[in-house]
Amino acid sequence: MKRRAQLQDVFAHHPIARTLGVQLQRITKKEVRAELPVKPQHMNRGGRVAGGIIMTFADLLGARGAVANLPPGAGTTTLESKTNFFAAGEGPLLTAVSIPLHIGRTTMVWQTTVRNADGRMVAVVTQTQMVLLPRVTQVPQDAAEPPAAKRSAPSARPARASGTSAAPKDRTGRPSGSHARSGRP
């Protein structure tokens, strides 16, 4: 029972997971399993689970799998999500399993399969999660230099007359870039 309470804590403070009623069953670095008891507010006018509910359910699992694989201090966000629907989502319960297809330093790709209670595949959602590494505060280089080293040195670049614009040059001294193609000075 304690294990179940720990699993539920993963989504306890997630407003969307709470609103949907997602129940986490298992989480490891290589798999996330959850259930979604189907409620009337999940249904579309046709009496089936709305596609957006299914996609959100899958997104929560893929993102949670990415979180389980993040380095300390990092976060994640969904970059891309692709859903293929195969059958209507029906109650009383949807189940989902999410597995990693790629776990990298800057991105992760997770694939979530959503099924009805009878085991029929409803959808497969593939999502790319970006890894948001913590920002490193760097000391400016000149802050570490002694005051004498901060004096202005003469510029190695000759000053241009005010209001003139010289075209960029390649290594031979000829105009380069868009200026070379356009014939502009």
Side-chain angles (χ1 to χ4, degrees), residues 34-38 49 57 87-96 113-123:
E35 295 178 344
L36 178 63
V38 177
V49 178
F57 179 37
E90 298 175 334
L93 184 73
L94 294 180
T95 61
T113 302
V114 179
R115 296 181 182 278
N116 284 325
D118 65 3
R120 188 167 183 196
M121 186 170 27
V122 173

Side-chain angles (χ1 to χ4, degrees), residues 138-154:
Q138 295 181 350
V139 176
Q141 254 185 334
D142 64 345
E145 296 178 21
K150 290 186 180 179
R151 291 188 192 127
S152 299

Side-chain angles (χ1 to χ4, degrees), residues 7-180:
L7 284 175
Q8 287 308 112
D9 285 347
V10 171
F11 283 142
H13 300 291
H14 193 291
I16 298 171
R18 275 196 339 240
T19 299
L20 289 180
V22 175
Q23 298 173 354
L24 194 60
Q25 303 298 306
R26 173 184 164 91
I27 184 166
T28 68
K29 289 185 172 217
K30 299 290 181 187
E31 181 184 78
V32 180
R33 289 183 177 268
E35 295 178 344
L36 178 63
V38 177
K39 300 174 187 172
Q41 60 265 32
H42 297 149
M43 309 303 267
N44 62 24
R45 288 185 288 180
R48 309 303 172 124
V49 178
I53 298 292
I54 294 166
M55 293 162 60
T56 301
F57 179 37
D59 181 72
L60 288 166
L61 270 65
R64 187 62 209 140
V67 168
N69 287 277
L70 289 174
T76 186
T77 190
T78 305
L79 280 179
E80 179 181 43
S81 183
K82 165 77 168 86
T83 304
N84 289 99
F85 290 102
F86 300 103
E90 298 175 334
L93 184 73
L94 294 180
T95 61
V97 177
S98 189
I99 60 170
L101 300 179
H102 165 75
I103 297 177
R105 188 179 62 80
T106 59
T107 61
M108 297 184 207
V109 178
W110 285 78
Q111 184 176 65
T112 305
T113 302
V114 179
R115 296 181 182 278
N116 284 325
D118 65 3
R120 188 167 183 196
M121 186 170 27
V122 173
V124 174
V125 179
T126 305
Q127 70 196 70
T128 303
Q129 293 289 133
M130 180 168 54
V131 175
L132 304 170
L133 297 172
R135 293 181 187 227
V136 179
T137 306
Q138 295 181 350
V139 176
Q141 254 185 334
D142 64 345
E145 296 178 21
K150 290 186 180 179
R151 291 188 192 127
S152 299
S155 175
R157 199 179 211 182
R160 289 191 198 151
S162 178
T164 63
S165 173
K169 308 270 192 265
D170 67 11
R171 62 185 175 85
T172 64
R174 292 182 290 214
S176 65
S178 63
H179 292 280

